[in-house]
Amino acid sequence: MKLTCLSEGGGFYSPPCHILQWCGFTLLFECPVDLSALAVFSPIPTTGSSSSDNNSLIRAVPWYKTVASLHLWDPSSIDVVLISSPWALLGLPFLTRKPGFSSSTKIYATEATVRFGHLMMKELTFMHMEYVRYYGPDKKLGLPDWMNWTNLERLQMELKSIVLGEKQEELSGWVPIYSAGDIKDCIDKIQPLKLGEEVCFNGTLVIRALSSGLDIGSCNWSIKSPKGSLVYLSSSVFGSAHAMEFDYPLLSGHDIIIFSDFSSLDSMDYDEEDTNKCALSGESEDCSMDELSGNDELEAENEKMHFICSCIVDSVKKGGSALIPSGRFGVVLPLLEHICNLFDSLNMKVPIFIISETAQETLALTNSIPEWLCKQRQKKLFSGEALFQHMELIKEGIISVHPFLCSSDLLEIWKEPCIVISPHWSLRLGSAVQLLHRWHADPRSLLILEEGVHDELALMPFKPLKMKVLQCSFLSGIQMKKVNPLFQTLRSKIVLVPQSLRSQFTRRESELYKIYYYTKNEIARIPSLKEGFEAYLATDLVFQLQPTKLPEKNIAVARLKGKLLLRKGIYYLTLPNKQLNMSVKPSVHWGTVEPTCLLRALNEKEIDGSILHNENYDFCVCVKKPAEALIEVKGNKIMISCEDKTVSALINEALNSVCNRI
């Protein structure tokens, strides 16, 4: 097995990307786009700002940063693509539109991921088209001027690092936006899977998607093959207020875990004492199960929601508005409920606008896939309640949804102060840009940003900035203190983790499972856990066996001829189409030949022989009567030299009588 990390990702919106070579196949995990890199582009026209900082940004129609290392791989060599979340799907049209991409490549994702990802692709192209309508298209065909090396050298160090990467080798990852046709071709190539559904690739790999708890449709991958089983563990959450819980019990017992959750480093608190508490005690299993509860995560997220709501109320009371640019359903939907409940308790009426081209479809979709929702939401379905409050709030007019900021129906009801939710978290595309122009100088207004966004760079075009900025971190993966208890619970033989997490595995973890570390753009080689393979015998074939018992080893062996089949990762031996006469097949011998036993068997055939010793052989038997012959025994080889065919046949019979054979 070979694992290559192509990208460590950049948090929730940009998952990591890996290539796995296993069982003769090449599998690609995730195909994201780094939308945070859009921060290098200016959303302001040339005459729109006099800020010297803003003048350092790239003034051009945005290109999009894909995984540069993926471009080094021949797309025709990829056999399977596995997508774990809608955000990991955004870069797939860039791959499938390549001329070398094979039509035989299988692409798997959950049905919810495909539907949400499709809407997000459309949203991204709509925002890009809106940008072009405002500021005009590039006049030059081919590579834009900003990609000229002379212009790249003039960029500030921070911008150059984003464009070129730390080792200045990521320029090839920048590509122009895909078209609506590219999106359609991409979606048509995907085979959507239901929650927990199994699919078999090429009769060898049995692939199954299981909920990761991160968001609606997000999953981890279970893969079983004749050479073993593995789990691809993406960013996962134990406690969610909206999505199906992390289904980790079904991942237990797999041979290998590929841990790809880099968010453990970026945004999770790590308590070494708590993390290793289970490994040092004698009750590791019970301790692990207790630590894997999601109650603490739900409480922490609720506290954040209450704090954000209190800040919004403070701004609104002062006459300011609040802008929430976020593309996370797991944040936006519960936050809407908290905001509306708080306003209702305070008897406040504040308009809430959701501005997105695909918002209507997205909100409707969240109510049409109850199997992907948490148990609390599913209970509402059986009691006849709405799964989410936003549908009722839209009917009551408390929340209104609009495709564009300049749409006529929005302009008729627009009122400030207000709360605006927009998916354009990069602050480079869509309505968030226009609203920041409007409110950036208002100290009463509030901007809520997610942690992980380059806030200084993202806000550079809007300086001087007087509006308040609240930067919040939301749960984006497994907390580091829960990683070791999870591994202990899953009981795998081998765990692959990023090299950057090496310092966290310092005690008894290596005694519980073998740890391999991988780094970006380096191949991690994992030894095979199975040298051979197991096969199931058909009943008809079993009844034809004629086993020979080996008393010294207390086993029986038999010789057979069958047809080897591979179905759903399991080998089967069945009867061949044409029956064979095994009696005419040469015998297979094993074991050692005792000289005295051989002489006794020869005497029974009326053959006289004597033992000779030779340093080149174990021993030799010289035969004088009834004809001259020489028997040479060496290791696993016996040579009979005799001109008389009858005597040669008798010697062979004598050898067969003293050897183990089938």
Side-chain angles (χ1 to χ4, degrees):
M1 174 189 290
K2 298 179 182 178
L3 178 71
T4 306
C5 176
L6 303 182
S7 168
E8 297 179 353
F12 176 85
Y13 294 107
S14 181
C17 178
H18 297 81
I19 284 278
L20 177 68
Q21 295 168 287
W22 190 41
C23 298
F25 302 111
T26 300
L27 293 81
L28 171 65
F29 291 94
E30 326 296 16
C31 198
V33 176
D34 185 6
L35 292 180
S36 66
L38 288 174
V40 302
F41 295 96
S42 173
I44 313 296
T46 305
T47 59
S49 174
S50 59
S51 170
S52 59
D53 290 334
N54 183 52
N55 291 333
S56 64
L57 297 176
I58 298 174
R59 298 182 177 278
V61 174
W63 277 33
Y64 297 83
K65 189 178 182 181
T66 60
V67 179
S69 299
L70 183 56
H71 293 271
L72 302 177
W73 288 77
D74 181 2
S76 64
S77 68
I78 300 175
D79 300 298
V80 180
V81 181
L82 298 177
I83 304 297
S84 304
S85 69
W87 290 99
L89 187 67
L90 283 185
L92 192 58
F94 295 121
L95 177 63
T96 56
R97 75 181 183 183
K98 286 189 173 183
F101 188 80
S102 175
S103 58
S104 62
T105 300
K106 290 292 185 180
I107 306 173
Y108 300 111
T110 66
E111 184 179 0
T113 287
V114 176
R115 296 174 68 180
F116 279 116
H118 188 193
L119 292 174
M120 290 161 59
M121 291 177 189
K122 292 167 60 177
E123 180 81 30
L124 183 61
T125 55
F126 288 145
M127 290 189 296
H128 186 90
M129 292 168 56
E130 184 182 27
Y131 185 100
V132 173
R133 283 197 300 269
Y134 274 112
Y135 307 132
D138 278 333
K139 298 180 181 180
K140 180 182 177 181
L141 298 177
L143 294 178
D145 290 334
W146 66 266
M147 296 186 75
N148 182 285
W149 193 254
T150 303
N151 294 330
L152 292 174
E153 287 291 342
R154 296 172 182 168
L155 293 176
Q156 294 180 359
M157 287 302 299
E158 184 179 9
L159 300 180
K160 188 186 297 185
S161 176
I162 294 175
V163 173
L164 301 177
E166 294 181 0
K167 297 182 179 180
Q168 298 191 356
E169 56 186 17
E170 298 181 2
L171 186 61
S172 61
W174 290 89
V175 291
I177 189 66
Y178 37 69
S179 65
D182 294 331
I183 296 176
K184 183 180 184 304
D185 292 341
C186 171
I187 297 299
D188 290 343
K189 289 181 172 68
I190 302 175
Q191 180 175 338
L193 304 178
K194 297 184 181 299
L195 177 63
E197 179 184 355
E198 283 188 353
V199 64
C200 185
F201 172 75
N202 202 37
T204 306
L205 303 180
V206 180
I207 302 171
R208 188 181 185 190
L210 298 168
S211 175
S212 68
L214 180 66
D215 215 331
I216 300 175
S218 298
C219 70
N220 295 311
W221 293 101
S222 164
I223 308 176
K224 297 181 179 179
S225 78
K227 292 188 176 181
S229 58
L230 68 82
V231 170
Y232 181 81
L233 201 58
S234 63
S235 297
S236 304
V237 173
F238 290 94
S240 174
H242 72 296
M244 169 65 73
E245 62 185 8
F246 178 18
D247 205 356
Y248 67 88
L250 292 179
L251 303 178
S252 178
H254 288 67
D255 298 320
I256 300 173
I257 296 176
I258 301 176
F259 185 69
S260 67
D261 190 352
F262 285 83
S263 63
S264 301
L265 279 176
D266 299 332
S267 58
M268 303 302 166
D269 295 330
Y270 172 57
D271 187 334
E272 182 178 354
E273 182 178 352
D274 289 343
T275 302
N276 292 282
K277 179 173 57 179
C278 296
L280 296 176
S281 68
E283 302 177 353
S284 60
E285 183 175 357
D286 294 338
C287 181
S288 297
M289 296 301 293
D290 291 340
E291 290 197 17
L292 298 184
S293 169
N295 294 331
D296 58 330
E297 298 176 352
L298 286 172
E299 292 176 4
E301 293 301 290
N302 281 330
E303 289 178 3
K304 293 176 187 176
M305 295 291 180
H306 287 302
F307 178 72
I308 294 172
C309 291
S310 65
C311 294
I312 292 175
V313 169
D314 290 341
S315 293
V316 170
K317 286 182 176 180
K318 295 176 182 178
S321 297
L323 174 61
I324 310 173
S326 176
R328 298 182 59 167
F329 313 124
V331 171
V332 172
L333 298 180
L335 184 59
L336 273 175
E337 295 178 347
H338 279 80
I339 292 173
C340 294
N341 290 338
L342 181 58
F343 281 169
D344 185 57
S345 65
L346 297 175
N347 198 25
M348 294 177 61
K349 293 185 178 180
V350 180
I352 301 176
F353 304 110
I354 300 177
I355 304 176
S356 166
E357 178 70 25
T358 60
Q360 288 281 12
E361 296 175 83
T362 300
L363 294 175
L365 182 56
T366 58
N367 279 278
S368 64
I369 44 177
E371 68 274 13
W372 278 101
L373 301 182
C374 63
K375 293 180 180 179
Q376 292 81 359
R377 302 283 177 182
Q378 291 180 356
K379 289 180 181 179
K380 293 184 177 182
L381 175 67
F382 296 112
S383 62
E385 301 178 45
L387 297 177
F388 293 95
Q389 291 184 15
H390 60 256
M391 300 304 292
E392 296 177 352
L393 296 172
I394 291 174
K395 291 179 181 179
E396 295 172 3
I398 298 175
I399 298 176
S400 58
V401 183
H402 306 274
F404 301 107
L405 186 61
C406 58
S407 56
S408 57
D409 55 343
L410 174 59
L411 295 177
E412 291 177 359
I413 63 173
W414 182 265
K415 182 181 178 182
E416 297 184 20
C418 62
I419 299 171
V420 178
I421 297 176
S422 169
H424 324 308
W425 58 272
S426 67
L427 306 186
R428 291 298 180 267
L429 300 173
S431 58
V433 176
Q434 285 76 36
L435 291 173
L436 276 176
H437 278 310
R438 181 179 181 86
W439 295 332
H440 77 280
D442 184 0
R444 302 170 300 172
S445 295
L446 174 67
L447 171 65
I448 299 175
L449 284 180
E450 294 185 47
E451 192 171 288
V453 178
H454 302 293
D455 53 337
E456 286 294 327
L457 190 59
L459 296 172
M460 184 184 295
F462 309 101
K463 292 182 177 179
L465 186 70
K466 294 184 179 180
M467 70 184 303
K468 295 185 291 292
V469 178
L470 175 63
Q471 195 164 22
C472 307
S473 64
F474 298 100
L475 202 59
S476 299
I478 302 175
Q479 293 175 315
M480 194 62 228
K481 65 181 181 181
K482 297 186 178 184
V483 171
N484 285 328
L486 175 62
F487 289 167
Q488 294 173 28
T489 302
L490 297 184
R491 299 185 180 279
S492 295
K493 300 174 184 176
I494 293 177
V495 176
L496 284 80
V497 298
Q499 176 68 29
S500 48
L501 292 179
R502 178 184 284 271
S503 61
Q504 313 300 344
F505 298 90
T506 57
R507 300 195 179 181
R508 289 182 52 192
E509 290 79 13
S510 59
E511 300 175 8
L512 302 173
Y513 41 80
K514 180 67 175 177
I515 302 176
Y516 288 86
Y517 299 96
Y518 63 84
T519 58
K520 181 181 176 182
N521 292 330
E522 292 186 9
I523 299 176
R525 291 176 169 83
I526 312 303
S528 177
L529 294 175
K530 293 183 179 180
E531 296 298 333
F533 61 87
E534 299 176 350
Y536 289 87
L537 297 181
T539 305
D540 295 340
L541 193 59
V542 172
F543 288 131
Q544 294 189 7
L545 297 180
Q546 298 177 357
T548 300
K549 189 175 181 180
L550 304 180
E552 64 274 12
K553 294 187 178 181
N554 197 29
I555 60 173
V557 295
R559 196 173 180 186
L560 59 86
K561 179 74 174 183
K563 184 178 182 181
L564 187 64
L565 302 177
L566 182 60
R567 296 172 181 168
K568 292 188 175 181
I570 300 175
Y571 283 107
Y572 296 89
L573 269 174
T574 62
L575 286 172
N577 297 330
K578 182 179 179 181
Q579 296 296 320
L580 297 178
N581 184 4
M582 298 298 293
S583 62
V584 302
K585 300 291 288 184
S587 298
V588 177
H589 301 78
W590 71 91
T592 59
V593 178
E594 292 292 335
T596 55
C597 293
L598 178 57
L599 286 178
R600 190 181 305 115
L602 290 172
N603 288 333
E604 292 175 357
K605 303 289 184 183
E606 298 182 351
I607 298 174
D608 295 333
S610 60
I611 298 175
L612 301 177
H613 293 284
N614 189 313
E615 62 181 8
N616 296 324
Y617 299 93
D618 295 344
F619 68 91
C620 299
V621 176
C622 182
V623 177
K624 296 296 184 180
K625 293 180 181 180
E628 292 186 354
L630 180 64
I631 306 172
E632 299 169 318
V633 180
K634 180 181 180 181
N636 60 354
K637 182 179 181 181
I638 300 176
M639 178 71 72
I640 303 173
S641 302
C642 181
E643 294 182 355
D644 191 312
K645 293 183 178 180
T646 302
V647 175
S648 178
L650 292 173
I651 293 174
N652 185 61
E653 291 177 4
L655 282 168
N656 285 336
S657 67
V658 299
C659 291
N660 294 320
R661 67 188 181 93
I662 53 174

